[in-house]
Amino acid sequence: MSGLPARVRLVEVGPRDGLQNEPCALPAATRVTLVEKLAAAGIDYIEAGSFVSPRWVPQMAESLEVLQQLRRSPGVTYAALTPNLRGLESALEAGADEVAVFTAASETFVQRNINCSIDESFARFVPLLERARSAGVPVRGYVSTVVACPYEGPIAATQVADVAVRLRDLGCREISLGDTIGVGTPATTRKMLEAVAQRVPMQQLAVHFHDTYGQALANIYACMQAGVTVIDSAIAGLGGCPYADGASGNVATEDVLYMLDGLGIATGIRLDAAIDAGQYIANQLGRPGRSRAAQAILHARQRARDAAK
Ligand code: HMG
Ligand code: MG
């Protein structure tokens, strides 16, 4: 279809962004199984854990064990979130292939999320990126609150672009633009993306949507039309952010795959196997997954089984 990419790369954030926001911490073994199932579905970039303070986010406490215990599939990047040099050292010990730093376009959000100012967050990132470079580990950068902040309200696209440029100049390989509270619409997100892409090449940008207002798929479509080819998503629509009240899960990987398959956009990922991974984690959490496509396909599978009886 004209104006859309032929291929898109999915960044699976469910084992990190998703599970960090669950009411209780899952055992490392369950998190390992989830990551292995995601890789088996053909997902080649998985954010498997987070090396933040366990007092702040207890759900991510055993990320070292998760990364060390998982059976690695060739060609898969296993990444981790790292807020500071200490987090990076843990990620290196765990054998993370890539790490991600995170800041935001809103001062108040950064303060609530990582207890410092935007400038101070960059001061933490400088030694982190130097050490990552010497260890040969690439760094991804997140900008949160790219459309609006739960504390400050609407955020100007120029503020987002300023932070994205700083991350790029620091050496981040790719910058993920996060609508943390999921309030964006196709018009606001595309405008924001295009403003950032004037200052950071589109090939270095990714989009990261939470689906609070049900706009995530429409936003992804609009952003693909604007040229983006990297999309963050979470299996079963897991997720949220512990420091953004009311932020619901990430867009569900299965829903994104169903849309991309329908558009003839290649991902290398098998939807059926992704649905199995989503069903596994939903069962472990004791609640239904949030992917509409997965629910429909699981229902159809059940009908087919009943008909075959
Ligand atoms: P702090 O309190 O300002 O700093 O926290 P500190 O240096 O005083 O450390 C506090 C405690 O954490 C100390 O331990 C440190 O040793 C420990 P205590 O004395 O209390 O026992 N500590 C660490 N422990 C393990 N690993 C570390 C580490 N660093 C310090 N790396 C800090 C600063 C950044 C640590 C804290 O604010 C924090 O961990 N915040 C986590 C916030 C978080 O994980 N948020 C969710 C992820 S961001 C997100 O979801 C958005 C995203 O998805 C995009 C989007 O949707 O927009 C990426
Ligand atoms: Mg997020």
Side-chain angles (χ1 to χ4, degrees):
M1 196 175 291
S2 67
L4 290 172
R7 190 172 185 89
V8 152
R9 189 160 58 79
L10 289 201
V11 169
E12 172 59 47
V13 298
R16 191 281 301 171
D17 203 349
L19 297 186
Q20 78 182 8
N21 206 37
E22 289 301 322
C24 58
L26 291 179
T30 306
R31 293 164 60 191
V32 166
T33 303
L34 173 64
V35 174
E36 289 176 353
K37 284 180 182 293
L38 293 165
I43 298 178
D44 66 3
Y45 191 111
I46 305 171
E47 217 172 60
S50 178
F51 294 99
V52 297
S53 161
R55 279 182 201 258
W56 284 63
V57 187
Q59 295 89 333
M60 289 291 107
E62 292 181 27
S63 291
L64 185 81
E65 287 78 357
V66 172
L67 273 122
Q68 283 182 339
Q69 287 169 18
L70 58 89
R71 266 171 300 148
R72 289 172 181 248
S73 296
V76 177
T77 299
Y78 298 94
L81 210 63
T82 52
N84 51 21
L85 190 54
R86 172 160 171 201
L88 174 71
E89 294 297 351
S90 303
L92 293 177
E93 188 189 339
D97 301 310
E98 182 159 327
V99 297
V101 295
F102 52 108
T103 186
S106 144
E107 279 294 352
T108 317
F109 187 80
V110 175
Q111 203 67 51
R112 300 282 176 110
N113 196 27
I114 49 175
N115 205 21
C116 63
S117 66
I118 296 174
D119 282 348
E120 285 163 349
S121 73
F122 276 92
R124 291 175 183 178
F125 299 158
V126 171
L128 191 163
L129 269 105
E130 276 170 12
R131 174 80 178 95
R133 196 173 302 117
S134 69
V137 169
V139 182
R140 193 172 197 246
Y142 280 103
V143 187
S144 285
T145 61
V146 296
V147 176
C149 166
Y151 314 107
E152 294 184 11
I155 296 290
T158 49
Q159 269 172 260
V160 182
D162 287 348
V163 175
V165 166
R166 287 178 77 177
L167 286 170
R168 192 270 320 269
D169 289 351
L170 207 58
C172 289
R173 175 188 69 75
E174 180 171 281
I175 290 120
S176 175
L177 303 170
D179 181 10
T180 318
I181 53 173
V183 292
T185 60
T188 52
T189 53
R190 185 173 174 158
K191 199 167 146 224
M192 176 279 301
L193 174 68
E194 285 173 341
V196 177
Q198 281 179 8
R199 296 176 58 199
V200 178
M202 191 66 90
Q203 302 89 290
Q204 280 184 274
L205 298 176
V207 288
H208 177 110
F209 292 112
H210 289 261
D211 203 22
T212 320
Y213 286 81
Q215 302 296 298
L217 280 184
N219 292 342
I220 289 170
Y221 190 90
C223 290
M224 287 194 304
Q225 283 186 317
V228 93
T229 58
V230 184
I231 297 167
D232 298 0
S233 64
I235 200 74
L238 299 172
C241 177
Y243 299 101
D245 240 3
S248 79
N250 294 89
V251 65
T253 302
E254 303 92 313
D255 291 349
V256 176
L257 284 172
Y258 183 81
M259 178 175 80
L260 297 178
D261 285 353
L263 291 166
I265 297 174
T267 60
I269 303 166
R270 289 180 300 117
L271 175 58
D272 268 356
I275 288 172
D276 294 340
Q279 204 186 13
Y280 167 77
I281 198 62
N283 287 341
Q284 295 297 313
L285 292 167
R287 60 166 174 76
R290 291 201 208 98
S291 160
R292 301 279 295 273
Q295 278 170 20
I297 291 167
L298 287 167
H299 195 68
R301 281 187 196 170
Q302 186 59 48
R303 272 204 315 270
R305 274 197 297 272
D306 291 346
K309 273 182 195 161

